[in-house]
Amino acid sequence: MKDDIRLAAVGDNCIDLYDQTGDAYPGGNPVNVAVYTVRLGGSASYTGVVGDDKYGRLMRQAVAAKGVDVSHLHTEPGSTALSHVTVVNGDRVFGDYEEGVMENFRLTEEDVDFLCGHDLVVSGLWGRVEGDLPRLKTRGVPVAFDCANRPEDPAAEKALPWVDYAFFSNDSAGDRELEDILRAIHTKGPELVVATRGERGSLAFDGSRFYRGGIVPCTVVDTMGAGDSFIAGFLYGLMRGEDIPACMALGAENSSVTLGYAGAW
């Protein structure tokens, strides 16, 4: 079993600003996955861009304080990405998203070389790196991609042929319908497709069989970061050589920790 796990997270970051309280939490899908990987005992880096404002300083300091390598977190003149959030019945509801300097984020050749020195690279729908995934995949580094709840999005469609492990969320489809969705996504390139289903657990498909995962019951304080926690746990298990059911169980366990406090981390 491999112990020296090195995950590279790349793409979007944002400050989650809770409008009801004024609280500001650093986050963003790849950032969260990096932080949760370190929490699990692995090492992780985050490659992206922040603005030269107070939120950019907060992002850099907070991510570094969690033990994540931020040597390839760039700073550009402008505003750090910002998501407005409200909490309704314990569930977070996203409002306006201000992309800021993330709008023009592009990987440099040095960034690509750095990413390829890891065991696995993970990004997501708003990371603006879907066009760079062929460069990573052809250099032999496994790629994971989070399609959020929009696997049909053009960015996801562009990414999927170059992705090894695809994730998305869907808590409304029935079992048969969701199986069909996983089959369809699998035909686009990924060797493994995983859907998170909220309280209904998770479903994975490797091209030959389906795997069903449960949840770890817990008191829900805030759902922010729960899906990213699942992805981090799942990928951590994969990089350690665990089988798919064990990875799903580790994802659920990691998610239950995050559900128990406010904010992503």
Side-chain angles (χ1 to χ4, degrees), residues 33-222:
V33 174
V35 169
Y36 300 141
T37 298
V38 173
R39 185 172 77 185
L40 286 163
S43 64
S45 66
Y46 169 61
T47 299
V49 63
V50 293
D52 59 353
D53 55 3
K54 67 176 183 179
Y55 290 133
R57 293 189 291 273
L58 171 62
M59 180 68 70
R60 182 179 295 275
Q61 292 167 1
V63 176
K66 289 295 184 179
V68 175
D69 178 354
V70 293
S71 61
H72 283 69
L73 174 55
H74 307 282
T75 299
E76 298 291 344
S79 301
T80 301
L82 190 70
S83 286
H84 293 271
V85 185
T86 57
V87 177
V88 180
N89 297 324
D91 198 7
R92 83 272 194 252
V93 178
F94 288 97
D96 292 338
Y97 173 57
E98 302 167 20
E99 192 170 23
V101 295
M102 267 304 305
E103 181 179 1
N104 297 312
F105 174 59
R106 300 294 183 271
L107 292 178
T108 66
E109 288 299 326
E110 183 183 0
D111 289 334
V112 172
D113 289 340
F114 174 72
L115 295 172
C116 290
H118 293 70
D119 296 308
L120 184 146
V121 175
V122 60
S123 191
L125 194 64
W126 295 281
R128 293 196 173 275
V129 298
E130 59 273 7
D132 293 298
L133 297 185
R135 289 199 286 168
L136 301 176
K137 185 66 181 294
T138 55
R139 289 182 57 174
V141 59
V143 175
F145 192 86
D146 181 15
C147 303
N149 60 351
R150 294 157 54 181
E152 74 289 347
D153 188 276
E157 292 282 353
K158 188 173 183 178
L160 287 171
W162 307 100
V163 167
D164 297 276
Y165 313 117
F167 296 85
F168 71 102
S169 62
N170 186 320
D171 58 4
S172 60
D175 290 349
R176 290 290 181 85
E177 180 185 0
L178 189 59
E179 287 178 1
D180 288 342
I181 295 172
L182 266 68
R183 286 192 185 96
I185 293 174
H186 186 270
T187 65
K188 297 176 183 179
E191 67 178 64
L192 181 65
V193 186
V194 184
T196 54
R197 312 181 73 188
E199 295 180 351
R200 301 165 71 184
S202 57
L203 183 67
F205 180 60
D206 65 1
S208 60
R209 62 168 291 189
F210 289 96
Y211 303 82
R212 286 171 170 77
I215 64 170
V216 175
C218 62
T219 300
V220 177
V221 175
D222 184 3

Side-chain angles (χ1 to χ4, degrees), residues 201-256:
S202 57
L203 183 67
F205 180 60
D206 65 1
S208 60
R209 62 168 291 189
F210 289 96
Y211 303 82
R212 286 171 170 77
I215 64 170
V216 175
C218 62
T219 300
V220 177
V221 175
D222 184 3
T223 58
M224 182 70 75
D228 298 337
S229 297
F230 178 92
I231 292 172
F234 192 102
L235 293 177
Y236 184 72
L238 276 182
M239 289 185 288
R240 294 187 68 195
E242 304 280 4
D243 61 19
I244 293 173
C247 292
M248 297 173 85
L250 185 55
E253 180 181 350
N254 200 36
S255 183
S256 72

